[in-house]
Amino acid sequence: MDWSIQDIARLAGTTSRTLRHYDDVGLVRPSRIGANGYRYYDADALVRLQRVLLLRDLGLGIPAIGEVLAGQRDDAAALRTHLEWLDSERQRLERQYASVERTITELEGGEKPMAENMFEGFDHTVYKDEVEQRWGKDAYATSDAWWRSMSSEEQAAWKARVQLLGSDWMEAAQNGVDPESDEAQALAQRQFDWLRGIPGTPGGGEAGPTKEYFVGLGEMYVADERFAANYGGAEGATFVRDAMRVYAERNL
């Protein structure tokens, strides 16, 4: 079964012109071209379009979207990562909604809004105290300044890079890849390079994170369900931890 370009434009809330552009740049190809010259899309094309629209909502431009899709071979794993991000966004928006609703109620009741209740869900620094406790105030301040210095598109591109790395870890774990294998160690190298690029990472900079930090972070992925969720749960996080430990023993 397939759908015409007009049907897809209506269902996806976009335009035929946009879909033709996605075809021209290679993002979403139609499954066939009818005798009338119309583009038609099957289920696989719709899954790819859904991924494109999700990445676009993250703020990525077309070149960045193309790079992300080129690196993700498993649609289900990639969409699972998107779903986790959407769930965190849903929770954040629910907190924002409750915060604003509470402020309106207080104002209409003639009360003064409580400052500590007004900004729930608005702050990206929810882990501030935890980071400062684990790695010091300088580490948090440096990484926070780095994040704030980026444009919205740069932040979106960074998030997409993290999502791609997470989905590749999950795919490898689901496929039973050996933590000591070249494939797992290539992922560990990407994890190391990602951390090296974040100012404030203990032992960071050109040399990259220290052995102790890298191994300890892997342990934290398993111990803390918030972080384990980024890798598909405890089983995926355990695979990541084991691969990171092997990498650290061999290279750090």
Side-chain angles (χ1 to χ4, degrees), residues 48 51 55 65 67-75 77-79 81-82 160 163-165 167-168 171:
R48 188 172 176 90
R51 291 172 61 188
L55 290 168
I65 292 174
E67 290 177 9
V68 171
L69 293 180
Q72 293 181 326
R73 299 175 300 280
D74 186 328
D75 284 334
L79 285 171
T81 303
H82 284 309
Q163 284 189 329
L164 175 59
L165 180 56
S167 67
D168 287 348
E171 182 180 352

Side-chain angles (χ1 to χ4, degrees), residues 4 14 41 66 70-71 82 94 103 108 126 130 135 139 142 161 164 174 179 204 209 250:
S4 71
T14 186
Y41 297 81
H82 284 309
E94 286 176 351
T103 300
E108 290 179 343
V126 290
E130 187 171 345
W135 297 297
T142 301
R161 179 187 176 192
L164 175 59
Q174 290 162 5
R250 291 179 180 177

Side-chain angles (χ1 to χ4, degrees), residues 99-115:
S99 174
V100 173
E101 186 177 46
R102 184 165 51 243
T103 300
I104 292 171
T105 300
E106 290 170 347
L107 289 172
E108 290 179 343
E111 303 175 32
K112 293 290 186 182
M114 297 293 291

